[in-house]
Amino acid sequence: MEGVTWLTHKYVMHGLLWYLHKDHHQKEPGFFEKNDWFFVIFAVPSIVLILFGTTKHVWWMQAIGFGIMAYGAAYFLVHDVIIHQRFKWFSRSKNTYVRAIRWAHKMHHKHLDKHDGESFGMLMVHKKYWQKVQSDKRLMASKKVGYAPEARLTSGGNA
């Protein structure tokens, strides 16, 4: 699903359906975004595949439907809760992986338009983001300072 996510994010969300995704990059007031409609867009085929697969006993359709649903749950937890912190459940994680996905997403959001983006995936993080976070941790440890890159992460705006 990560490959499907990358392709969909780069070519659909930053392409044909940019009008729905745009407010995710250019923050507008309010809790909900037009970008939240992607939840519905991806939930529909999941529900249809699960329903049809269940009623017609087609196991592979059920499996695909549940796979889309599981990835949607992962997306919600990783993207909305951990990365964007729309819900303040895991706001101070020191985990290297969490820091790396947050940094990669921050780099994705530094581009306010649909062009010249980077880091279109969600769960798999490019090596350069891991290295950046690990370097920051080593730097903070050598200075005997608490690891708190949030000041740098949020200084340019929210991701």
Side-chain angles (χ1 to χ4, degrees), residues 55-124:
T55 58
K56 301 296 182 186
H57 305 288
V58 183
W59 67 267
W60 61 268
M61 284 186 170
Q62 258 186 333
I64 292 170
F66 281 119
I68 294 169
M69 182 182 75
Y71 198 87
Y75 179 88
F76 169 75
L77 181 64
V78 172
H79 184 263
D80 289 344
V81 175
I82 293 173
I83 293 172
H84 285 289
Q85 299 179 6
R86 289 175 80 178
F87 304 92
K88 306 294 184 197
W89 299 339
F90 306 105
S91 60
R92 293 273 182 202
S93 176
K94 293 181 182 178
N95 179 280
T96 302
Y97 174 70
V98 169
R99 296 283 184 183
I101 60 172
R102 290 193 75 220
W103 186 256
H105 206 75
K106 175 72 173 174
M107 294 300 98
H108 175 73
H109 276 268
K110 76 180 181 181
H111 305 283
L112 298 178
D113 63 9
K114 69 181 192 174
H115 304 291
D116 301 323
E118 63 183 277
S119 189
F120 289 96
M122 181 185 63
L123 299 177
M124 294 175 64

Side-chain angles (χ1 to χ4, degrees), residues 11-79:
Y11 296 108
V12 176
M13 294 175 161
H14 282 252
L16 180 67
L17 295 179
W18 174 249
Y19 67 95
L20 287 178
H21 189 59
K22 181 179 178 179
D23 69 345
H24 184 62
H25 284 264
Q26 300 170 5
K27 243 350 179 185
E28 296 177 8
F31 182 78
F32 291 104
E33 305 171 343
K34 284 186 255 176
N35 186 68
D36 293 331
W37 278 103
F38 284 109
F39 170 81
V40 175
I41 291 168
F42 294 119
V44 169
S46 175
I47 292 166
V48 168
L49 285 164
I50 292 169
L51 184 62
F52 189 82
T54 301
T55 58
K56 301 296 182 186
H57 305 288
V58 183
W59 67 267
W60 61 268
M61 284 186 170
Q62 258 186 333
I64 292 170
F66 281 119
I68 294 169
M69 182 182 75
Y71 198 87
Y75 179 88
F76 169 75
L77 181 64
V78 172
H79 184 263

Side-chain angles (χ1 to χ4, degrees), residues 100-157:
I101 60 172
R102 290 193 75 220
W103 186 256
H105 206 75
K106 175 72 173 174
M107 294 300 98
H108 175 73
H109 276 268
K110 76 180 181 181
H111 305 283
L112 298 178
D113 63 9
K114 69 181 192 174
H115 304 291
D116 301 323
E118 63 183 277
S119 189
F120 289 96
M122 181 185 63
L123 299 177
M124 294 175 64
V125 180
H126 191 278
K127 184 179 175 181
K128 67 183 177 182
Y129 303 116
W130 282 94
Q131 291 170 337
K132 197 259 185 253
V133 169
Q134 289 167 337
S135 172
D136 284 353
K137 275 190 167 183
R138 283 191 300 275
L139 180 64
M140 292 299 136
S142 71
K143 292 184 177 188
K144 307 258 189 273
V145 176
Y147 182 63
E150 289 85 9
R152 284 199 332 248
L153 286 176
T154 59
S155 64

